[in-house]
């Protein structure tokens, strides 16, 4: 099909296809309709003016038809002219109102009113609120002036002066058509806009739901994966601990050191991923336990000091001695995690010099104590440009960091998020090549009933001979590990491979303690415990039960207590932690071990 020559192509389709916004599209449609109807109106006037021999009107009509045709073609050529043409059309309306009031009819007739309406409508619909108000006032001014000049409206009457009556009627009719079409098109755009928004909202809702499901499955996947990783890691750490007593050569000692280091790194990595996962979904809460900050920090430092020593670094601890006398309530695990991460980094990124941990009281009253922690090193330092980004997850100061030092870039992101739970934030001062200093302040609640537990971690050879223990564990490797650990303590526990076997053994024997795995087929640790608690024999039903679990669920301790268990140990655990729990129970039972 040959294309229409450009002048005869009056279709709005091409222009509309260049306008994505439906509201803008409607504005152009309204303007186009106004122009076409204006041409139509003038076309009606021409023969009538000619017939009545009204030359000035004829001339004006010819000029107008040329002007409207030009404007229509201009509009069709590019959307950018729409606003300009809209202003022109409204001003034309104003000219017509003035012309009708003061020249043609000398009265406020229906046509003048129609043009005033069209001006107001065009101001709001074709332009915007500001121009809508402006042109509304402008449209009313000639009427007010006319009323002032003419004194009153008594002499209002319809006049068809200057034009033949049929032309006037057709004009009035077409003006009504213009007003109605203007409203109709704008209403249509409004409805379409609302419907499109509703559709978008629906799509958004679906997308948000899908994102939530994806985030949940990511979180579930990480929890399950880390659970699965923790179980074998428990055996690795436990077996390595057992091996430490059987070393016969320096080479074996060296090999075991590497094994221990790798297991510890893996453990940290799993914990980091998990913590990050929990922090991301805001599932992490702080515990509030009575703590002596002084001994907590000393314990943390004794572990880190070995790490520093291995690199030939000195780890200096400067702590306010007054803290010894001020027990507080806090989450010791999270405090340790923050200090481990920051000091671990300080040691990692320093090759000579020292790492200094300072803990100072800033302020105190009867209820609270505010403490400043700072960790300074003499290491590689951090480029000023990277000082913000290193706190973002999976970000390191340089691309060579992983190659040279390892790491995932999660540590500082976790520190930052953990500190928000303490209503604090981490600060950093650093100079490349000279060292870095990280510091933060925490306000702790004072707790005068705080208990200290210093027994963990002390190197001793244990003897738990005589303690009757049942281990309920379905994983044979873990059972073997526990058997060996207990052997070291001169104890031979009973083993049950599932909940049912455990119930049979508990019915047949009296135990001082049960170590209960949680995830077991058929009858899990919770159900088995509940059944034991229901037994009629008081001695059996009140036996202390400690859960051994690789689960990382947040309300784990609640669930464990609800099921009737007394305590729990998270896998991977150090055998020394297990010992300290056993000793506690043994003391309670007055076994005098
Ligand atoms: P990771 O240590 O696993 O890489 P972090 O989030 O703990 O992750 O640290 C992010 C980055 O910040 C590190 O890779 C390192 O580039 C930089 N960084 C952190 N602590 C120090 C420090 N004490 N000295 C120099 N650079 C550091």
């Amino acid at each position: 099909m040959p294309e229409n020559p450009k002048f005869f192509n009056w279709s709005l389709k091409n222009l509309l296809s260049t306008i994505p916004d439906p509201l803008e599209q409607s504005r152009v449609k309204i303007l186009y309709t106004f122009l076409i109807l204006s041409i139509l109106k003038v076309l009606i006037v021409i023969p009538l003016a000619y017939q009545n021999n009204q030359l000035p009107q004829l001339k004006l009509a010819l000029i107008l038809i040329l002007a409207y045709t030009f404007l229509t073609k201009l509009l069709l050529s590019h959307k950018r002219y729409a606003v300009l043409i809209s202003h022109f059309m409204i001003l034309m309306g104003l000219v017509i109102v003035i012309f009708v009031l003061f020249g043609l009819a000398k009265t406020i007739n229906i046509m003048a009113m129609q043009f005033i309406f069209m001006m107001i409508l065009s101001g709001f619909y074709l332009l915007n609120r500001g121009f809508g108000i402006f042109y509304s006032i402008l449209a009313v001014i000639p009427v007010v002036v006319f009323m002032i000049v003419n004194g009153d409206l008594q002499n209002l009457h319809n006049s068809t002066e200057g034009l033949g009556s049929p032309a006037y009627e057709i004009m009035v009719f077409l003006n009504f058509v213009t007003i109605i079409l203007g409203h109709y098109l704008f209403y249509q755009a409004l409805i379409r806009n609302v419907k499109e928004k509703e559709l978008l909202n629906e799509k958004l809702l679906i997308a948000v739901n899908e994102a939530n499901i994806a985030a949940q499955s990511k979180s579930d996947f990480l929890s399950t994966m880390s659970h699965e990783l923790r179980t074998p890691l428990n055996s690795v750490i436990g077996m390595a601990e057992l091996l430490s007593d059987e070393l016969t050569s320096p080479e074996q000692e060296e090999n075991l050191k590497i094994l221990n280091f790798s297991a510890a790194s893996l453990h940290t990595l799993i914990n980091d991923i998990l913590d990050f996962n929990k922090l991301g979904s805001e599932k992490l809460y702080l515990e509030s336990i009575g703590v002596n900050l002084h001994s907590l920090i000393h314990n943390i430092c004794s572990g880190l000091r070995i790490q520093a020593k291995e690199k030939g670094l000195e780890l200096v601890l400067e702590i306010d001695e007054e803290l010894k006398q001020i027990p507080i309530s806090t989450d010791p695990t999270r405090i340790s995690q923050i200090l481990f991460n920051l000091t671990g980094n300080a040691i990692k990124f320093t090759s000579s010099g020292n790492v200094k941990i300072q803990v100072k009281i800033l302020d105190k009253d009867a209820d609270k104590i505010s403490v400043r922690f700072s960790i300074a090193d003499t290491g590689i330092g951090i480029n000023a440009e990277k000082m913000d980004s290193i706190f973002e997850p999976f970000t390191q100061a340089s691309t060579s960091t992983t190659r040279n030092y390892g790491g995932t870039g999660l540590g500082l992101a976790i520190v930052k998020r953990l500190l928000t739970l303490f209503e604090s934030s981490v600060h950093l001062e650093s100079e490349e090549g000279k060292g870095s200093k990280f510091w933060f302040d925490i306000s702790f609640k004072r707790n005068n009933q705080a208990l200290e537990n210093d027994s963990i971690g002390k190197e001793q050879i244990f003897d738990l001979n005589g303690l009757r223990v049942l281990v309920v564990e379905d994983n044979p490797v873990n059972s073997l590990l526990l058997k060996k650990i207990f052997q070291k303590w001169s104890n031979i526990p009973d083993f049950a491979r599932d909940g049912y076997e455990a119930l049979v053994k508990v019915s047949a024997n009296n135990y001082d303690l049960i170590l209960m795995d949680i995830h077991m087929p058929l009858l899990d640790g919770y159900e088995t415990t509940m059944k034991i608690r229901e037994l009629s024999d008081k001695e059996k039903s009140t036996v202390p039960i400690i859960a051994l679990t690789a689960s990382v669920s947040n309300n784990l301790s609640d669930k464990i207590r609800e099921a009737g268990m007394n305590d729990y140990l998270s896998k991977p655990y150090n055998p020394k932690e297990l010992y300290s729990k056993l000793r506690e129970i043994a003391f309670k039972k007055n076994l005098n071990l």
Side-chain angles (χ1 to χ4, degrees):
M1 272 246 297
E3 236 187 73
N4 277 341
K6 262 200 164 165
F7 181 80
F8 293 104
N9 188 358
W10 291 72
S11 161
L12 200 56
K13 237 165 78 191
N14 284 350
L15 180 65
L16 291 181
S17 67
T18 63
I19 306 170
D21 180 14
L23 209 66
E24 280 304 313
Q25 276 192 7
S26 294
R27 284 194 167 128
V28 167
K29 272 194 212 166
I30 296 171
L31 187 59
Y32 178 77
T33 313
F34 282 6
L35 283 165
I36 296 293
L37 284 171
S38 300
I39 294 174
L40 213 68
K41 281 184 248 178
V42 184
L43 278 178
I44 292 162
V45 171
I46 290 174
L48 291 165
Y50 179 75
Q51 210 177 21
N52 294 345
N53 230 350
Q54 294 164 311
L55 208 61
Q57 278 88 338
L58 191 63
K59 272 189 198 160
L60 183 70
L62 284 171
I63 294 169
L64 281 177
I65 205 140
L66 283 176
Y68 285 137
T69 310
F70 170 74
L71 290 177
T72 312
K73 291 307 282 181
L74 192 67
L75 174 71
L76 291 173
S77 71
H78 201 280
K79 60 182 177 184
R80 67 170 166 258
Y81 298 117
V83 173
L84 197 76
I85 299 170
S86 302
H87 283 291
F88 181 82
M89 291 291 285
I90 298 172
L91 290 172
M92 281 293 288
L94 183 67
V95 171
I96 293 171
V97 171
I98 295 170
F99 182 62
V100 170
L101 289 187
F102 297 98
L104 196 66
K106 296 209 170 46
T107 182
I108 305 172
N109 64 5
I110 192 160
M111 198 194 291
M113 293 306 289
Q114 284 179 322
F115 275 100
I116 290 168
F117 279 141
M118 282 190 280
M119 276 179 75
I120 296 171
L121 175 149
S122 305
F124 283 110
Y125 288 1
L126 298 183
L127 297 165
N128 54 35
R129 197 180 56 164
F131 276 117
I133 295 169
F134 173 70
Y135 283 125
S136 301
I137 295 168
L138 207 64
V140 175
I141 288 175
V143 180
V144 176
V145 172
F146 181 83
M147 283 184 341
I148 293 168
V149 169
N150 289 284
D152 57 48
L153 295 177
Q154 288 307 310
N155 57 350
L156 267 188
H157 63 277
N158 281 344
S159 164
T160 57
E161 231 179 293
L163 275 178
S165 172
Y168 177 81
E169 276 160 17
I170 292 168
M171 284 278 273
V172 168
F173 172 73
L174 284 179
N175 281 346
F176 276 132
V177 172
T178 311
I179 293 169
I180 292 166
L181 270 178
H183 282 297
Y184 170 75
L185 290 171
F186 201 79
Y187 171 80
Q188 226 186 5
L190 202 75
I191 292 295
R192 211 170 63 189
N193 228 14
V194 170
K195 283 206 174 129
E196 259 172 37
K197 288 236 164 78
E198 275 172 6
L199 212 74
L200 269 179
N201 272 346
E202 266 171 37
K203 279 187 191 163
L204 196 72
L205 221 68
I206 293 171
V208 167
N209 275 343
E210 278 172 3
N212 281 343
I213 291 169
Q216 187 56 45
S217 53
K218 180 203 89 179
S219 166
D220 291 348
F221 168 74
L222 281 174
S223 298
T224 316
M225 192 189 74
S226 67
H227 177 268
E228 294 308 308
L229 288 173
R230 272 160 186 266
T231 308
L233 191 59
N234 188 48
S235 311
V236 174
I237 292 176
M239 287 296 184
E241 176 70 26
L242 286 177
L243 278 176
S244 63
D245 294 339
E246 296 163 21
L247 301 176
T248 52
S249 71
E251 201 191 344
Q252 278 181 352
E253 206 174 308
E254 185 64 29
N255 290 349
L256 190 67
K257 217 158 79 188
I258 296 167
L259 177 67
N260 270 329
F261 179 77
S262 305
S265 305
L266 195 57
H267 188 194
T268 313
L269 183 67
I270 294 169
N271 283 346
D272 274 1
I273 293 174
L274 254 163
D275 276 342
F276 189 72
N277 190 32
K278 277 196 211 164
L279 282 163
S281 54
E282 277 151 26
K283 278 189 213 156
L284 204 87
Y285 313 100
L286 290 183
E287 277 192 300
S288 182
I289 299 172
V291 171
N292 184 315
L293 199 59
H294 193 276
S295 48
L296 176 71
I297 288 169
H298 264 284
N299 281 345
I300 295 170
C301 284
S302 51
L304 289 161
R305 195 162 278 126
I306 300 168
Q307 227 176 301
K309 216 171 156 193
E310 277 170 3
K311 280 192 79 179
L313 301 172
E314 194 191 351
L315 188 104
V316 185
L317 172 62
E318 280 178 17
I319 182 163
D320 239 322
E321 288 303 309
E322 208 187 331
L323 279 168
K324 265 188 193 164
Q325 274 80 50
I326 310 176
I328 54 156
S329 284
T330 190
D331 188 330
T333 317
R334 299 302 169 191
I335 291 282
S336 310
Q337 200 177 2
I338 294 169
L339 288 174
F340 266 120
N341 278 356
L342 292 177
T343 318
N345 274 349
I347 297 170
K348 186 160 79 169
F349 295 107
T350 305
S351 53
S352 64
N354 62 51
V355 171
K356 193 191 270 183
I357 302 176
Q358 279 182 313
V359 185
K360 267 193 200 158
I361 299 175
L362 289 180
D363 196 14
K364 63 174 191 291
D365 60 27
D367 304 320
K368 282 198 178 125
I369 174 163
S370 169
V371 180
R372 171 159 299 174
F373 298 80
S374 78
I375 298 97
D377 64 59
T378 53
I380 59 170
I382 299 156
N383 186 311
E385 279 176 20
K386 299 284 174 183
M387 284 199 198
D388 286 331
S389 64
I390 53 166
F391 291 98
E392 297 304 316
F394 307 105
T395 310
Q396 299 185 316
S398 118
T399 42
S400 59
T401 308
T402 317
R403 214 171 39 243
N404 297 332
Y405 301 95
T408 52
L410 277 177
L412 289 182
I414 290 171
V415 167
K416 186 176 154 188
R417 294 205 194 175
L418 280 178
L419 279 173
T420 56
L421 295 181
F422 283 100
E423 290 170 3
S424 176
S425 55
V426 60
H427 303 267
L428 166 63
E429 289 159 22
S430 183
E431 204 177 319
E432 250 184 315
K434 295 220 166 141
S436 314
K437 181 175 165 184
F438 291 83
W439 56 272
F440 56 91
D441 302 338
I442 297 183
S443 173
F444 297 105
K445 254 204 239 150
R446 293 178 71 154
N447 175 345
N448 293 320
Q449 281 101 50
L451 282 170
E452 245 183 88
N453 190 352
D454 279 343
S455 59
I456 299 172
K458 284 189 183 150
E459 287 294 332
Q460 290 168 29
I461 294 295
F462 307 115
D463 186 349
L464 288 176
N465 190 8
L467 192 70
R468 296 164 300 172
V469 180
L470 172 66
V471 176
V472 189
E473 170 68 80
D474 65 322
N475 183 319
V477 181
N478 279 344
S479 299
L480 184 67
L481 172 69
L482 280 167
K483 198 171 163 188
K484 294 202 170 223
I485 293 172
F486 273 87
Q487 242 169 30
K488 212 170 114 179
W489 298 330
S490 315
N491 190 302
I492 304 167
D494 263 0
F495 284 88
R497 274 163 305 186
D498 58 50
Y500 288 113
E501 201 180 323
L503 289 175
V504 172
K505 294 221 159 156
V506 170
S507 308
N509 309 293
N510 283 333
Y511 293 103
D512 298 319
L513 169 75
I514 299 176
L515 295 179
M516 181 80 73
D517 185 27
I518 300 261
H519 288 274
M520 290 184 295
L522 306 174
L523 206 60
D524 69 17
Y526 298 123
E527 291 165 318
T528 311
T529 304
M530 283 192 257
K531 288 204 184 305
I532 292 172
R533 295 294 180 233
E534 282 162 15
L535 293 174
S536 53
D537 183 331
K538 190 103 200 293
E539 194 179 345
K540 295 181 195 299
S541 68
T542 56
V543 58
I545 301 178
I546 297 180
L548 297 179
T549 174
S551 168
V552 285
S553 144
N554 211 13
N555 50 358
L556 187 66
S557 63
D558 290 344
K559 276 203 218 157
I560 277 169
R561 305 223 187 259
E562 261 168 44
M565 297 185 206
N566 304 68
D567 205 346
Y568 73 96
L569 264 178
S570 284
K571 292 178 194 172
Y573 53 84
N574 191 304
K576 285 169 198 156
E577 287 176 66
L578 175 60
Y579 174 77
S580 119
K581 300 255 179 215
L582 296 184
R583 241 176 98 104
E584 234 174 84
I585 283 166
F587 273 127
K588 277 187 197 154
K589 291 205 76 158
N590 291 328
L591 280 170
N592 210 15
L593 289 164

